[in-house]
Amino acid sequence: MIVDCAIYREGQRSEGPEDFSDALDEARSAGGFVWIGLHEPTADEFDLVSQEFSLHPLAVEDALKAHQRPKLEVYDDSLFLVLKPVVYEPRSDTVSSGEIMIFLGDSFVVTVRHGEGAPLKAVRSRLEQEPELLGKGPTAVMYAVADAVVDHYLDVATELQTDLEELETEVFSPDGGGSRHTASRIYNFKRQILEFRRATGPLAMPMTRLAGVGTFGAGVPFVEDRARPFFRDVHDHLTRVNDSVEGLDRLVSDILSAHLAQMSVRQNDDMRKISAWAAMAAVPTMIAGIYGMNFDHMPELRWGWSYPAVIVVMALLEVLLYRLFKRRGWM
């Protein structure tokens, strides 16, 4: 569905005509641009937009089908940027991602959003309150959307860090680390970090190109040189996010290894205790087995103190074994 359509001249909003072609002509004649926002459009709805703005068919196909990696494509008449905003649900400890596609031309911006996360209404409202920034043209819209998405990455990374510290405390607590659900929680947390990484990692190259950093930043059309410092700021924030995500991934892997090592140590302790009790049970069993053999000629069978003597020997051996195993920490 078409969420919003407006023409912006010198940072000021004015409602555009219903016909997209007329809106584009009006924006070009006035030195402004058209911003059209769509949310999960149908093929028929988007076909009208793509024809009026001459969008590349490959980019149109990606925008309709979604499920794309973050990327930046350069076509003859437009740029095509894919962003993946993420939402973290603390109650279920899950990270979910949506998609935002941005078509940027000389006098138009088309934003296509998939999923419920990161609505663009707040971004549009914030830009309309900053006419100086909005007056820089369509590039300002791309910057504002990318900045909002990356800033939310920082918030999600902070929430993940907090939850990971709680999980770390549980793993290394005297009792919590032995829970049968701890390993599954750690593994699930690692999956959420992987989902987060799929959104932030591939975005580094597009932001590098838009920011004009390195050899990949030269020659990106429709991006003015005066806008590159803004994209460099987004690039710096994204670098912080990727460093944080990498640190979280390493830390959760270390926590999982530590948990498995703890479980192995506990199993070894249990096996030593079982072995100690088995050894203590084997001594009286062996003595009773010897004296339970039905031979006619066995020493001590006729002796009157045989029974109490055997009981005393068994008790003494059990006490000695218990003290020995206790001293060595087996019990």
Side-chain angles (χ1 to χ4, degrees), residues 183-244:
S184 62
R185 283 195 60 196
I186 297 174
Y187 182 73
N188 179 67
F189 199 89
K190 191 172 181 65
R191 286 180 61 89
Q192 305 314 313
I193 293 177
L194 178 61
E195 180 69 21
F196 190 25
R197 199 169 192 169
R198 288 173 180 167
T200 62
L203 188 58
M205 183 57 70
M207 287 298 107
T208 298
R209 296 179 63 185
L210 292 172
V213 179
T215 58
F216 297 100
V220 179
F222 309 109
V223 178
E224 300 179 6
D225 291 338
R226 59 180 181 175
R228 295 189 184 278
F230 295 94
F231 286 107
R232 280 199 292 269
D233 182 67
V234 178
H235 179 267
D236 292 341
H237 290 178
L238 182 63
T239 301
R240 287 174 51 196
V241 171
N242 283 328
D243 291 343
S244 178

XYZ file of all heavy atoms in Angstrom, residues 183-244:
498
model
N 22.452 -24.811 28.133
C 23.106 -24.967 26.833
C 22.183 -24.537 25.700
O 22.614 -23.873 24.747
C 23.554 -26.413 26.635
N 20.901 -24.886 25.791
C 19.961 -24.485 24.742
C 19.777 -22.977 24.727
O 19.634 -22.372 23.659
C 18.617 -25.188 24.943
O 18.027 -24.816 26.176
N 19.792 -22.342 25.905
C 19.671 -20.884 25.958
C 20.883 -20.220 25.319
O 20.745 -19.243 24.573
C 19.544 -20.407 27.400
C 18.162 -20.599 28.036
C 18.051 -19.769 29.294
N 18.232 -18.353 29.005
C 18.485 -17.444 29.923
N 18.622 -17.793 31.189
N 18.623 -16.169 29.590
N 22.068 -20.756 25.587
C 23.284 -20.190 24.993
C 23.248 -20.342 23.478
O 23.561 -19.412 22.724
C 24.533 -20.864 25.581
C 24.631 -20.597 27.083
C 25.789 -20.365 24.888
C 25.755 -21.353 27.765
N 22.844 -21.522 23.015
C 22.791 -21.760 21.574
C 21.754 -20.864 20.914
O 21.995 -20.314 19.827
C 22.473 -23.232 21.310
C 22.447 -23.586 19.842
C 23.626 -23.680 19.108
C 21.245 -23.816 19.190
C 23.610 -23.997 17.762
C 21.216 -24.132 17.842
C 22.393 -24.229 17.135
O 22.371 -24.543 15.801
N 20.609 -20.686 21.551
C 19.580 -19.803 21.000
C 20.069 -18.362 20.955
O 19.796 -17.630 19.984
C 18.310 -19.897 21.847
C 17.202 -18.990 21.337
O 16.651 -19.184 20.267
N 16.873 -17.974 22.119
N 20.804 -17.960 21.988
C 21.355 -16.602 21.997
C 22.349 -16.427 20.855
O 22.391 -15.368 20.219
C 22.032 -16.344 23.342
C 22.233 -14.887 23.643
C 21.250 -14.155 24.287
C 23.397 -14.244 23.269
C 21.434 -12.804 24.563
C 23.584 -12.899 23.533
C 22.599 -12.180 24.185
N 23.132 -17.445 20.580
C 24.097 -17.373 19.474
C 23.374 -17.247 18.134
O 23.834 -16.541 17.228
C 24.995 -18.600 19.485
C 26.193 -18.505 18.545
C 27.139 -19.658 18.760
C 28.342 -19.545 17.825
N 29.167 -18.355 18.115
N 22.228 -17.914 18.007
C 21.441 -17.791 16.777
C 20.912 -16.370 16.601
O 20.871 -15.848 15.478
C 20.271 -18.780 16.800
C 20.662 -20.222 16.574
C 19.433 -21.120 16.619
N 18.500 -20.751 15.578
C 18.499 -21.243 14.339
N 19.410 -22.133 13.990
N 17.599 -20.866 13.456
N 20.519 -15.720 17.697
C 20.024 -14.353 17.614
C 21.151 -13.400 17.201
O 20.931 -12.469 16.428
C 19.418 -13.913 18.943
C 18.333 -14.822 19.479
C 17.312 -15.219 18.435
O 16.810 -14.386 17.684
N 16.998 -16.509 18.367
N 22.345 -13.636 17.714
C 23.489 -12.811 17.310
C 23.791 -13.015 15.830
O 24.132 -12.063 15.104
C 24.715 -13.142 18.179
C 24.456 -12.702 19.625
C 25.958 -12.463 17.642
C 25.574 -13.047 20.572
N 23.664 -14.255 15.353
C 23.876 -14.521 13.932
C 22.849 -13.781 13.078
O 23.188 -13.213 12.029
C 23.805 -16.026 13.678
C 23.961 -16.476 12.218
C 25.313 -16.049 11.670
C 23.791 -17.987 12.105
N 21.589 -13.774 13.525
C 20.551 -13.037 12.793
C 20.871 -11.544 12.781
O 20.687 -10.863 11.752
C 19.192 -13.280 13.460
C 18.028 -12.577 12.794
C 17.694 -13.138 11.438
O 18.076 -14.301 11.161
O 17.061 -12.417 10.645
N 21.355 -11.024 13.884
C 21.742 -9.620 13.963
C 22.922 -9.338 13.035
O 22.967 -8.317 12.335
C 22.096 -9.296 15.414
C 22.291 -7.832 15.702
C 21.687 -6.858 14.926
C 23.092 -7.425 16.754
C 21.849 -5.512 15.185
C 23.271 -6.085 17.033
C 22.653 -5.126 16.244
N 23.849 -10.285 12.996
C 25.045 -10.104 12.167
C 24.705 -10.099 10.681
O 25.363 -9.413 9.890
C 26.031 -11.228 12.482
C 27.458 -10.952 12.060
C 28.387 -11.981 12.658
N 29.765 -11.590 12.514
C 30.770 -12.207 13.131
N 30.510 -13.234 13.933
N 32.003 -11.803 12.964
N 23.686 -10.857 10.289
C 23.272 -10.867 8.887
C 22.748 -9.510 8.439
O 22.785 -9.192 7.249
C 22.183 -11.924 8.686
C 22.687 -13.358 8.746
C 21.535 -14.334 8.721
N 21.991 -15.713 8.780
C 21.198 -16.750 9.017
N 19.890 -16.547 9.214
N 21.679 -17.974 9.060
N 22.250 -8.730 9.384
C 21.747 -7.399 9.043
C 22.852 -6.354 9.035
O 22.855 -5.444 8.197
C 20.652 -6.992 10.029
N 23.803 -6.458 9.958
C 24.805 -5.403 10.111
C 26.052 -5.638 9.258
O 26.611 -4.676 8.718
C 25.229 -5.293 11.577
O 25.840 -6.524 12.004
C 24.022 -5.015 12.458
N 26.497 -6.875 9.142
C 27.752 -7.151 8.450
C 27.762 -6.728 6.994
O 28.644 -5.960 6.554
N 26.801 -7.206 6.172
C 26.838 -6.848 4.743
C 26.617 -5.374 4.461
O 26.887 -4.913 3.351
C 25.696 -7.697 4.148
C 25.454 -8.787 5.129
C 25.760 -8.193 6.465
N 26.120 -4.617 5.446
C 25.848 -3.198 5.218
C 27.126 -2.367 5.217
O 27.110 -1.206 4.792
C 24.885 -2.679 6.291
C 24.339 -1.262 6.123
C 23.608 -1.104 4.797
C 23.428 -0.893 7.292
N 28.237 -2.937 5.662
C 29.481 -2.170 5.764
C 29.952 -1.672 4.397
O 30.358 -0.515 4.247
C 30.562 -3.027 6.427
N 29.890 -2.530 3.383
C 30.350 -2.121 2.064
C 29.490 -1.014 1.454
O 30.029 -0.029 0.929
C 30.407 -3.328 1.130
C 30.940 -3.007 -0.264
S 32.587 -2.255 -0.242
C 33.561 -3.674 0.270
N 28.145 -1.111 1.480
C 27.354 0.014 0.965
C 27.643 1.336 1.673
O 27.737 2.384 1.023
C 25.908 -0.448 1.202
C 25.974 -1.925 1.162
C 27.282 -2.265 1.786
N 27.790 1.298 3.001
C 28.072 2.536 3.723
C 29.468 3.060 3.386
O 29.690 4.276 3.347
C 27.949 2.297 5.233
C 26.526 2.132 5.722
S 25.496 3.597 5.456
C 24.460 3.018 4.098
N 30.407 2.155 3.113
C 31.740 2.581 2.708
C 31.688 3.317 1.380
O 32.333 4.366 1.198
C 32.669 1.361 2.596
O 32.782 0.728 3.872
C 34.053 1.772 2.135
N 30.897 2.796 0.457
C 30.778 3.440 -0.859
C 30.070 4.795 -0.750
O 30.493 5.772 -1.365
C 30.026 2.526 -1.819
C 30.740 1.223 -2.117
C 29.919 0.348 -3.062
N 29.733 0.998 -4.358
C 28.969 0.502 -5.332
N 28.284 -0.624 -5.118
N 28.864 1.132 -6.482
N 29.000 4.849 0.030
C 28.265 6.107 0.173
C 29.078 7.168 0.908
O 28.937 8.362 0.648
C 26.946 5.860 0.899
C 25.898 5.043 0.131
C 24.722 4.708 1.037
C 25.416 5.819 -1.091
N 29.913 6.708 1.834
C 30.730 7.645 2.604
C 31.955 8.114 1.836
O 32.647 9.044 2.271
C 31.158 7.018 3.931
N 32.255 7.456 0.711
C 33.427 7.837 -0.058
C 34.718 7.430 0.600
O 35.757 8.080 0.414
N 34.677 6.342 1.376
C 35.858 5.854 2.084
C 36.537 4.801 1.227
O 35.901 3.842 0.772
C 35.475 5.256 3.452
C 36.714 4.738 4.169
C 34.763 6.302 4.295
N 37.852 4.957 1.004
C 38.599 3.946 0.272
C 38.329 4.010 -1.233
O 37.729 4.942 -1.772
N 38.778 2.972 -1.921
C 38.672 2.935 -3.375
C 37.259 2.676 -3.858
O 36.940 2.939 -5.013
C 39.594 1.836 -3.934
O 39.227 0.573 -3.357
C 41.041 2.133 -3.607
N 36.392 2.137 -2.980
C 35.032 1.826 -3.398
C 34.096 3.016 -3.286
O 32.933 2.922 -3.660
C 34.472 0.663 -2.558
C 35.223 -0.624 -2.736
C 36.164 -1.013 -1.804
C 35.007 -1.421 -3.836
C 36.870 -2.197 -1.960
C 35.701 -2.604 -4.003
C 36.643 -2.995 -3.063
N 34.560 4.125 -2.764
C 33.672 5.251 -2.535
C 33.584 6.233 -3.681
O 32.796 7.166 -3.634
N 34.406 6.057 -4.703
C 34.410 7.014 -5.799
C 33.363 6.647 -6.846
O 33.113 5.476 -7.125
C 35.797 7.057 -6.444
N 32.760 7.660 -7.408
C 31.900 7.445 -8.557
C 30.515 6.928 -8.253
O 29.916 6.294 -9.120
N 29.976 7.174 -7.055
C 28.593 6.776 -6.755
C 27.685 7.921 -7.179
O 27.742 9.014 -6.609
C 28.399 6.467 -5.259
C 26.956 6.088 -4.980
C 29.327 5.342 -4.835
N 26.839 7.722 -8.180
C 25.994 8.818 -8.666
C 24.880 9.159 -7.685
O 24.575 8.387 -6.770
C 25.430 8.263 -9.983
C 25.438 6.776 -9.797
C 26.624 6.475 -8.927
N 24.275 10.323 -7.883
C 23.128 10.808 -7.104
C 23.472 11.104 -5.641
O 22.580 11.412 -4.857
C 21.955 9.828 -7.156
C 21.564 9.411 -8.539
C 21.823 8.137 -8.993
C 20.946 10.312 -9.393
C 21.471 7.749 -10.276
C 20.596 9.930 -10.690
C 20.858 8.647 -11.129
N 24.739 10.988 -5.275
C 25.176 11.305 -3.909
C 26.135 12.487 -3.993
O 27.244 12.366 -4.514
C 25.859 10.101 -3.229
C 26.350 10.495 -1.836
C 24.899 8.929 -3.137
N 25.704 13.605 -3.481
C 26.535 14.803 -3.550
C 27.701 14.711 -2.575
O 27.619 14.059 -1.529
C 25.677 16.039 -3.248
C 24.513 16.231 -4.209
C 23.693 17.447 -3.857
O 24.112 18.191 -2.935
O 22.647 17.662 -4.490
N 28.769 15.403 -2.919
C 29.956 15.379 -2.070
C 29.679 15.955 -0.689
O 30.243 15.487 0.306
C 31.093 16.167 -2.736
C 31.620 15.470 -3.982
O 31.424 14.238 -4.097
O 32.205 16.166 -4.847
N 28.790 16.949 -0.611
C 28.503 17.556 0.690
C 27.719 16.620 1.603
O 27.608 16.870 2.805
C 27.729 18.860 0.506
C 26.393 18.689 -0.229
C 25.671 20.005 -0.379
N 24.392 19.838 -1.061
C 23.509 20.820 -1.231
N 23.791 22.029 -0.746
N 22.382 20.591 -1.866
N 27.164 15.529 1.044
C 26.431 14.553 1.858
C 27.328 13.449 2.387
O 26.920 12.705 3.284
C 25.297 13.937 1.043
N 28.523 13.330 1.851
C 29.395 12.219 2.262
C 29.781 12.272 3.741
O 29.885 11.214 4.379
C 30.642 12.185 1.380
C 30.328 11.860 -0.079
C 31.585 11.605 -0.892
N 31.267 11.395 -2.295
C 30.863 10.235 -2.811
N 30.738 9.196 -2.026
N 30.589 10.134 -4.092
N 30.023 13.452 4.348
C 30.323 13.444 5.794
C 29.210 12.845 6.638
O 29.472 12.212 7.669
C 30.534 14.938 6.109
C 30.965 15.536 4.818
C 30.216 14.795 3.762
N 27.956 13.028 6.215
C 26.842 12.431 6.954
C 26.895 10.906 6.866
O 26.675 10.200 7.863
C 25.515 12.948 6.405
C 25.305 14.414 6.602
C 25.644 15.321 5.608
C 24.774 14.900 7.784
C 25.450 16.684 5.795
C 24.563 16.245 7.987
C 24.913 17.146 6.983
N 27.186 10.394 5.679
C 27.297 8.940 5.528
C 28.532 8.397 6.247
O 28.531 7.249 6.697
C 27.333 8.557 4.048
C 26.003 8.662 3.364
C 25.742 9.674 2.465
C 24.997 7.741 3.638
C 24.514 9.772 1.836
C 23.766 7.828 3.017
C 23.522 8.847 2.115
N 29.582 9.205 6.360
C 30.744 8.761 7.134
C 30.382 8.601 8.606
O 30.889 7.695 9.284
C 31.902 9.752 6.965
C 32.667 9.575 5.676
C 34.046 10.215 5.743
N 33.961 11.675 5.811
C 33.959 12.459 4.743
N 34.022 11.936 3.523
N 33.906 13.769 4.873
N 29.509 9.473 9.092
C 29.041 9.336 10.473
C 28.266 8.033 10.650
O 28.447 7.318 11.640
C 28.168 10.534 10.842
C 27.680 10.478 12.274
O 28.498 10.582 13.200
O 26.454 10.305 12.470
N 27.388 7.716 9.687
C 26.658 6.445 9.740
C 27.634 5.276 9.658
O 27.484 4.276 10.364
C 25.623 6.372 8.602
C 24.896 5.023 8.621
C 24.622 7.497 8.711
N 28.640 5.418 8.801
C 29.640 4.357 8.657
C 30.388 4.129 9.967
O 30.654 2.978 10.351
C 30.618 4.746 7.545
C 31.710 3.753 7.310
N 32.946 3.840 7.939
C 31.763 2.621 6.554
C 33.707 2.832 7.562
N 33.014 2.081 6.726
N 30.727 5.209 10.663
C 31.414 5.066 11.957
C 30.531 4.340 12.973
O 31.004 3.469 13.716
C 31.817 6.441 12.492
C 32.912 7.090 11.654
O 33.582 6.360 10.914
O 33.068 8.326 11.739
N 29.254 4.699 13.024
C 28.339 4.029 13.948
C 28.193 2.551 13.595
O 28.148 1.690 14.486
C 26.973 4.708 13.921
C 26.969 6.065 14.529
N 25.841 6.865 14.578
C 27.958 6.780 15.136
C 26.132 8.002 15.173
N 27.406 7.977 15.517
N 28.127 2.262 12.298
C 27.999 0.874 11.865
C 29.253 0.083 12.232
O 29.164 -1.100 12.613
C 27.749 0.816 10.363
C 27.552 -0.581 9.769
C 26.318 -1.255 10.348
C 27.456 -0.513 8.244
N 30.410 0.709 12.130
C 31.655 0.030 12.528
C 31.623 -0.320 14.008
O 32.036 -1.421 14.408
C 32.865 0.928 12.217
O 32.886 1.226 10.816
C 34.165 0.229 12.597
N 31.120 0.594 14.824
C 30.983 0.307 16.257
C 30.036 -0.877 16.483
O 30.299 -1.754 17.316
C 30.463 1.533 16.989
C 31.465 2.657 17.150
C 30.797 3.879 17.746
N 30.053 3.548 18.954
C 29.139 4.344 19.512
N 28.869 5.513 18.945
N 28.517 3.984 20.607
N 28.941 -0.896 15.728
C 27.978 -1.994 15.871
C 28.625 -3.321 15.478
O 28.490 -4.321 16.199
C 26.730 -1.726 15.010
C 25.827 -2.957 14.986
C 25.958 -0.537 15.552
N 29.312 -3.347 14.356
C 29.930 -4.599 13.908
C 30.997 -5.071 14.885
O 31.130 -6.281 15.127
C 30.531 -4.407 12.512
C 29.479 -4.407 11.417
O 28.458 -5.088 11.523
N 29.707 -3.633 10.379
N 31.768 -4.137 15.449
C 32.745 -4.525 16.472
C 32.039 -5.107 17.698
O 32.505 -6.100 18.276
C 33.588 -3.326 16.878
C 34.530 -2.871 15.772
O 34.762 -3.663 14.837
O 35.017 -1.717 15.836
N 30.930 -4.493 18.078
C 30.178 -4.992 19.231
C 29.599 -6.375 18.956
O 29.650 -7.263 19.814
C 29.065 -4.014 19.587
O 28.293 -4.481 20.674
